[in-house]
Amino acid sequence: MEKQNDAVKGRPIVRYHKIAKVFGDQQVLTDIDLDIFPGEKVALIGPSGSGKTTLGRLLVTLERPTSGTIEVNGELLWHKSVNGQLLPADEKHLRRVRGQIGLVFQQFNLFPHMSILQNVMEAPVHVLGMSKGEAKEQATAMLNKVGLGHKLESYPRQLSGGQQQRVAIARALVMRPKVMVFDEVTSALDPEMVGEVLAVLKEIAAEGNMTMLLITHEMAFAREVADRVIFMDGKIVEQGSPNDIFVNPQNPRTNAFLSRFRQA
């Protein structure tokens, strides 16, 4: 895949500015400045507890930043500007801006009493106000896209873990988000199921138009798919093209982390 980080121009679609996050007496994120551009694929790597998932959760409003601001498509997420003063955003504002972002978790979180077609139709009907006919058409197309068009009437319990995760991906994509956050989407899968889910993500990335934040421990996948790789350890330690990070890292912490994978 052709890497695009040098060609990315224009206004960021996501902007983290001076973000910090504290849980109790633990500083998880410190002074995060990060711009993500339309269509860019950004992979976050780093050790457990490095703040990768927290950075994603701040974007999808599952965690509130302790300080700093986040913008989505030029609009503040957690704040509103009133007479030049930043004030906390209300729930209506959060829901509206958050609606531009899709999320796929480690866990699938499918409704067990619904078929997979119903699972994927649910949000377009109840959140977007789509007619059931249109939602069925869109959901069917998306399930075909992830290779599950032959399982429309199956229930989650009848699917493998890899198939359930592909349903979760279809459910997020059918909402047509501007940005997709994939949070360690293969970590709950048996090893033989990882490849089928990564293959779907590679196909989505290859289409080029979806902005993707990939929180992952799959180093080969990050190297193949990402335009930019960011090594985190409570802050952004180092970032660059996949070749920069995986072949010629400049920071000793990045090199030490990656050396474990080179030896594997």
Side-chain angles (χ1 to χ4, degrees):
M1 183 191 311
E2 181 181 350
K3 301 303 179 186
Q4 65 170 29
N5 43 315
D6 292 333
V8 172
K9 295 177 181 177
R11 185 179 72 181
I13 194 165
V14 174
R15 169 167 280 176
Y16 293 87
H17 180 64
K18 302 298 180 189
I19 286 290
K21 180 62 181 176
V22 178
F23 291 108
D25 58 358
Q26 183 182 9
Q27 181 96 24
V28 178
L29 293 172
T30 303
D31 200 28
I32 300 290
D33 283 327
L34 174 61
D35 289 349
I36 301 172
F37 293 88
E40 193 178 18
K41 319 297 184 262
V42 176
L44 300 182
I45 65 170
S48 298
S50 62
K52 307 185 299 297
T53 287
T54 299
L55 198 63
R57 288 173 67 86
L58 294 173
L59 183 59
V60 297
T61 70
L62 293 175
E63 300 288 352
R64 180 182 294 274
T66 303
S67 61
T69 60
I70 300 173
E71 293 178 32
V72 177
N73 210 19
E75 191 168 10
L76 288 165
L77 175 62
W78 285 101
H79 300 84
K80 294 177 79 170
S81 181
V82 180
N83 298 324
Q85 184 178 4
L86 283 186
L87 299 176
D90 56 28
E91 285 298 321
K92 182 179 179 182
H93 176 92
L94 276 175
R95 280 197 305 272
R96 182 176 59 78
V97 181
R98 159 70 176 85
Q100 301 178 72
I101 305 158
L103 171 66
V104 181
F105 287 103
Q106 301 174 25
Q107 302 298 331
F108 325 125
N109 298 322
L110 302 177
F111 295 115
H113 61 289
M114 293 182 178
S115 70
I116 67 167
L117 178 60
Q118 291 170 324
N119 265 279
V120 179
M121 287 175 58
E122 184 76 1
V125 170
H126 294 288
V127 178
L128 299 183
M130 200 179 285
S131 71
K132 286 191 176 181
E134 185 181 0
K136 182 176 182 179
E137 183 180 333
Q138 296 283 334
T140 300
M142 203 57 70
L143 285 164
N144 276 317
K145 184 184 183 75
V146 300
L148 291 171
H150 62 300
K151 295 281 189 179
L152 299 182
E153 301 306 322
S154 298
Y155 286 80
R157 67 180 178 275
Q158 298 171 309
L159 304 183
S160 69
Q163 289 172 328
Q164 289 186 60
Q165 189 61 290
R166 284 189 277 153
V167 175
I169 292 169
R171 181 181 58 186
L173 290 174
V174 80
M175 298 296 286
R176 305 294 178 189
K178 289 184 168 62
V179 181
M180 277 292 298
V181 179
F182 295 96
D183 182 13
E184 298 279 18
V185 295
T186 60
S187 65
L189 300 177
D190 292 333
E192 64 269 21
M193 297 176 186
V194 169
E196 67 185 72
V197 173
L198 293 183
V200 168
L201 296 187
K202 288 175 187 177
E203 287 180 17
I204 296 166
E207 291 174 0
N209 55 351
M210 175 67 70
T211 307
M212 299 169 71
L213 183 62
L214 302 152
I215 301 161
T216 185
H217 63 279
E218 300 282 351
M219 296 300 121
F221 169 71
R223 185 170 181 176
E224 180 179 351
V225 169
D227 300 306
R228 182 162 38 128
V229 178
I230 297 174
F231 175 70
M232 290 187 62
D233 196 0
K235 60 183 180 179
I236 294 176
V237 176
E238 185 173 1
Q239 61 180 307
S241 71
N243 197 61
D244 290 337
I245 299 301
F246 289 107
V247 177
N248 191 31
Q250 300 300 301
N251 191 285
R253 289 157 76 188
T254 312
N255 192 48
F257 174 77
L258 292 173
S259 66
R260 294 181 295 141
F261 295 93
R262 298 188 194 108
Q263 294 163 6

